[in-house]
Amino acid sequence: MRGYLAMTAQEVAEFAQSHEFDVSDVYAPTSQFIVDNQDLDDEEIEFTLSMVAAEDALEMKTATSGKACVLAFEVPPELIKESHDMSISLLTPLLWEHLECLFEVSDDGEELTWFATQEIANNLESWLK
């Protein structure tokens, strides 16, 4: 299941070093969310959840934390503890190997710029400024 997590660039840097991020819940296209949003197709569901995470990331941002980011994970079913309206609870920390991509959130929160996992290291320094 795809999961979306709000982070600051500083948290991304820490995650890149440790390769593990302990978080209890991530936004995800749960059964309930899909039922509640039957008018949305798969792509619109994914976009909606990533934008909700982007709002959270902007709220987390401080003068020293760097850019707001959203990380998209492919969460293995065995890590899912329970499902909620629009999120899943996890049994264990997320691992770097579960990371699919990173979205840089624009300062106004209106746009997400996609980066492949292999591009994160090359851009991290600029996101931390």
Side-chain angles (χ1 to χ4, degrees), residues 27-88:
Y27 292 111
T30 63
S31 304
Q32 187 62 51
F33 186 79
I34 292 169
V35 167
D36 291 344
N37 295 281
Q38 291 181 12
D39 57 323
L40 302 178
D41 65 22
D42 289 347
E43 189 173 308
E44 291 168 322
I45 286 172
E46 302 289 334
F47 177 75
T48 299
L49 292 168
S50 62
M51 291 304 286
V52 171
E55 289 175 22
D56 287 357
L58 284 172
E59 290 175 10
M60 297 164 53
K61 186 178 163 187
T62 66
T64 59
S65 66
K67 289 278 190 182
C69 302
V70 173
L71 277 66
F73 293 88
E74 192 56 43
V75 181
E78 60 271 14
L79 296 188
I80 300 172
K81 179 179 180 179
E82 58 187 345
S83 183
H84 308 287
D85 287 346
M86 63 187 302
S87 67
I88 52 175

Side-chain angles (χ1 to χ4, degrees), residues 70-129:
V70 173
L71 277 66
F73 293 88
E74 192 56 43
V75 181
E78 60 271 14
L79 296 188
I80 300 172
K81 179 179 180 179
E82 58 187 345
S83 183
H84 308 287
D85 287 346
M86 63 187 302
S87 67
I88 52 175
S89 296
L90 304 175
L91 292 166
T92 62
L94 288 167
L95 301 177
W96 189 265
E97 66 192 49
H98 300 140
L99 183 61
E100 292 290 314
C101 66
L102 177 146
F103 297 100
E104 178 187 355
V105 181
S106 64
D107 291 334
D108 64 4
E110 298 294 319
E111 293 182 39
L112 301 177
T113 304
W114 181 88
F115 291 89
T117 55
Q118 57 271 33
E119 295 177 295
I120 294 172
N122 294 337
N123 290 285
L124 196 51
E125 189 174 323
S126 67
W127 295 333
L128 288 167
K129 294 180 184 178

